[in-house]
Amino acid sequence: MNKWLTIGISIVVATFIGANAILIYSDKSQISRTFYLSEYERVSENTYAEELEKESIVVPANETTVAMDVEAVNDIVVSEGDYVNEGVDLATLKTDSAEDQRLLWETEQQAYIQEQSELEDIISDLESDRYGADSSSSSNGQATGGTTDEIVDVNVQVDVNVSQDGNFAQGIAEAKQKLAEVDRKLQIVDAQLAQNSGELSLLSPINGTVSTIEERNGKYFIHLFADEKFVITYAKESEWHDIAEGQFVKNYSTHREGVVEGSISTKTQVPANASKWLTAYEQFEHKMDEPVYEIRIQLAEQLEALPFAANINSVIITNQAENAVQINSKWLLNRSANTAEVYTLTSDGRIARTPVTVPFDLKQYAIISEGLSTGNVVLNADLKTDGAEAFLPFPLDLPTWNSIKSVHWKDYVKYLTYK
């Protein structure tokens, strides 16, 4: 045969084979073929959480200050650090100042009684409005009451297609909380007025600890920390956006066994760099060189064994997904915000693209909250043909040395010679 003809035929055959190979095995090939999948994962559901670990400190839930003119005080009978019960003496008053002080307390008593009455009216009006509200109602209630230095504002706005009982409930709860504070103050004033005229004392308004006693501008100021304790931490702006009220918090202390559960009660929008508690916080954390914001954590149980400013390790759950699965984040396809696709293997052994929801990532893993469930087989992101058949490597399970030794040699002979 002519050698040039042979060469020509060889070139044509080689071109034909090469073209077919490209059409079949190219990544962009649409020709149906079976894929061998060496990289895959069978997923299982679990609970995954995105956590923010923070240093925190123990602080009082409330701080109360009692003030008294220096000239009216005979003796301060408490010291800094003392624990006091509600109604016990903080200071004794001079006899010649007793009548003036009684007149002042009587004025406070009348103011608290008036504020008490106005708050009760506010609560009654709000409860009446809530009872009369229906799915098509629209109402606005506002009431103000208080003394010259204390004002209560309750605003409730309902303008929706369904009953918004929650808005009324919030206003009622705030008014009742303020009413409870006024009731407590009124009880203390009543107790002070019930004393003998010649032996008046300044009484503690709360159960708590005397934090500081200072003299300033002709007055004594006795600062009290309430018994109830909170935990606070401080967040930079980058962390602030990930924190929300109501988020679950796990709190740990080296001086207490177990975890103390809590939740984010408030996060401030005003930088707290001038806070006195920040100074204590910075003893456990690096000094802040940028604005930080106070984050307050409400505890499910009290920390009686820990003093104020004690160090706590708080783990804030900023994101959580239950009944979710995790996969390598590099296996996601067409990711956009919280949605993506992944290659999966159907029950009949074919490749499919499955839409999934990705609320967050944990290191190199993507957390899938919707689209996958236990037992699903997820494939890597290498380009594959939708609907193509696929097969997985045959599982290899080698026996352990202990399992080999557990079988007697006679059994091996039996198995080898068995027909």
Side-chain angles (χ1 to χ4, degrees):
M1 181 182 292
N2 188 299
K3 69 175 182 177
W4 295 109
L5 178 59
T6 302
I7 293 173
I9 293 173
S10 300
I11 293 173
V12 170
V13 171
T15 302
F16 177 78
I17 294 173
N20 277 274
I22 292 173
L23 290 173
I24 294 174
Y25 299 108
S26 169
D27 289 341
K28 298 182 180 180
S29 172
Q30 297 301 313
I31 297 176
S32 178
R33 71 178 188 271
T34 300
F35 284 81
Y36 171 72
L37 306 174
S38 61
E39 192 175 19
Y40 67 93
E41 182 177 353
R42 192 179 299 275
V43 299
S44 59
E45 295 179 12
N46 207 332
T47 298
Y48 298 94
E50 195 172 22
E51 300 177 342
L52 177 61
E53 297 185 10
K54 298 290 295 179
E55 297 285 351
S56 304
I57 59 173
V58 177
V59 300
N62 295 298
E63 300 181 37
T64 300
T65 299
V66 179
M68 180 65 61
D69 289 336
V70 171
E71 295 180 354
V73 175
N74 180 52
D75 184 31
I76 295 177
V77 297
V78 294
S79 302
E80 293 182 359
D82 286 353
Y83 181 83
V84 294
N85 290 309
E86 181 179 324
V88 304
D89 293 353
L90 297 177
T92 57
L93 306 180
K94 295 177 180 178
T95 304
D96 56 0
S97 302
E99 192 59 34
D100 291 339
Q101 186 61 48
R102 180 174 290 277
L103 290 174
L104 177 60
W105 285 338
E106 288 175 349
T107 301
E108 290 180 352
Q109 183 187 49
Q110 293 302 314
Y112 289 143
I113 291 174
Q114 179 183 353
E115 187 174 4
Q116 186 183 53
S117 175
E118 291 173 348
L119 282 167
E120 289 172 347
D121 290 341
I122 290 172
I123 294 170
S124 177
D125 290 343
L126 288 173
E127 289 178 338
S128 177
D129 288 344
R130 178 172 65 175
Y131 180 78
D134 56 33
S135 60
S136 60
S137 67
S138 176
S139 65
N140 182 70
Q142 179 175 344
T144 302
T147 63
T148 56
D149 61 346
E150 292 185 291
I151 298 176
V152 179
D153 277 318
V154 179
N155 292 280
V156 175
Q157 177 68 45
V158 180
D159 189 7
V160 290
N161 294 325
V162 296
S163 177
Q164 291 292 299
D165 180 76
N167 291 335
F168 284 109
Q170 181 181 357
I172 292 170
E174 291 177 359
K176 286 184 175 180
Q177 181 180 4
K178 185 62 179 178
L179 179 60
E181 294 177 6
V182 173
D183 289 343
R184 178 174 54 79
K185 292 177 180 178
L186 184 58
Q187 289 175 1
I188 294 299
V189 172
D190 289 343
Q192 290 178 143
L193 287 172
Q195 300 176 92
N196 294 329
S197 299
E199 299 178 356
L200 290 185
S201 298
L202 182 65
L203 305 181
S204 172
I206 62 171
N207 294 330
T209 303
V210 179
S211 62
T212 57
I213 302 172
E214 60 176 329
E215 180 182 347
R216 187 176 70 250
N217 299 329
K219 287 182 177 292
Y220 285 122
F221 294 90
I222 303 176
H223 304 283
L224 304 170
F225 288 168
D227 276 349
E228 185 182 2
K229 296 174 181 177
F230 274 67
V231 169
I232 61 171
T233 186
Y234 295 90
K236 300 177 182 179
E237 184 186 355
S238 57
E239 299 170 329
W240 188 90
H241 295 284
D242 294 327
I243 297 173
E245 294 179 5
Q247 287 176 338
F248 181 71
V249 185
K250 296 179 290 185
N251 303 281
Y252 302 90
S253 169
T254 56
H255 303 286
R256 190 184 191 282
E257 294 184 359
V259 59
V260 178
E261 297 182 350
S263 61
I264 302 297
S265 60
T266 57
K267 68 171 188 176
T268 63
Q269 298 191 44
V270 178
N273 291 68
S275 168
K276 65 179 180 182
W277 292 112
L278 182 59
T279 303
Y281 174 80
E282 288 180 335
Q283 297 180 48
F284 307 107
E285 186 62 272
H286 297 300
K287 186 172 178 62
M288 303 301 173
D289 55 0
E290 60 180 284
V292 292
Y293 304 85
E294 183 180 290
I295 308 297
R296 179 160 290 213
I297 301 168
Q298 172 73 58
L299 301 175
E301 57 183 286
Q302 283 301 300
L303 300 173
E304 294 87 355
L306 298 180
F308 297 115
N311 181 224
I312 291 285
N313 298 114
S314 297
V315 180
I316 303 172
I317 310 302
T318 58
N319 219 329
Q320 181 168 295
E322 297 180 353
N323 302 319
V325 303
Q326 70 172 14
I327 66 170
N328 192 321
S329 57
K330 294 180 179 180
W331 289 11
L332 296 178
L333 307 168
N334 302 324
R335 182 166 187 177
S336 176
N338 292 336
T339 61
E341 293 180 323
V342 293
Y343 283 125
T344 59
L345 196 62
T346 65
S347 58
D348 58 354
R350 294 186 178 273
I351 295 171
R353 280 176 175 255
T354 301
V356 295
T357 301
V358 190
F360 58 92
D361 292 72
L362 291 178
K363 297 182 179 180
Q364 73 270 28
Y365 294 102
I367 305 304
I368 310 298
S369 60
E370 296 180 12
L372 298 176
S373 58
T374 297
N376 288 157
V377 177
V378 181
L379 315 177
N380 65 22
D382 294 345
L383 188 61
K384 300 172 181 65
T385 303
D386 294 353
E389 293 183 345
F391 67 96
L392 307 177
F394 189 82
L396 181 62
D397 187 13
L398 296 175
T400 63
W401 178 244
N402 288 334
S403 66
I404 294 174
K405 291 192 297 182
S406 65
V407 180
H408 196 271
W409 68 268
K410 293 181 180 180
D411 294 321
Y412 283 109
V413 173
K414 179 182 175 180
Y415 296 145
L416 292 173
T417 58
Y418 179 76
K419 295 183 180 180

